Amino acid sequence: MISDSFHPHPRDKIWLPELPFRELGLGRLAVSVVAWRGQRRGQRVEPEDFEACLRRLSAYDGPVVFVVPVTDEAVRGRPEPELDDYREAIARVAEGRGPLLDPVGAFQASGLPVQALMSDPVHPTAQGQALIAEALAVTIAGIDPGVPR
């Protein structure tokens, strides 16, 4: 599977192994093409399935922190309506279950350019990950381990 937000397509499983990635350095190109094909087919995981999965993952005793995935567009303050349903699902599951951490505020407050924080549209750089880790540490420190969730 190329991304957690896309269902794999049976032809992708057949097509990908046939490409000589290492010999021709085509791995990155192939991943981009397959991800693009998935987007064109509109095969995002349905928000309801995403929410149900989050509920199953967080259904145990003990503290849970929910982290909203950060994107370069969010850091720039640009709307991403295609992701709103997923962000709202995270917030709903977190409500009454555990703290919700949205790293976008920390990214924006850092004053660093987006290129220093994000290596591509959805993957933070080491500096971006450090900001998430710092915010996560503060969030975890604020959890009372004696309070059942």
Side-chain angles (χ1 to χ4, degrees), residues 18-29:
E18 295 174 5
L19 291 177
F21 296 132
R22 290 188 180 143
E23 294 84 3
L24 300 177
L26 295 176
R28 189 176 181 107
L29 174 63

Side-chain angles (χ1 to χ4, degrees), residues 1 7 46 67 71 81 114 118 134:
M1 187 177 308
H7 294 290
E46 293 297 323
V67 181
T71 64
V114 173
M118 302 293 294
E134 290 168 9

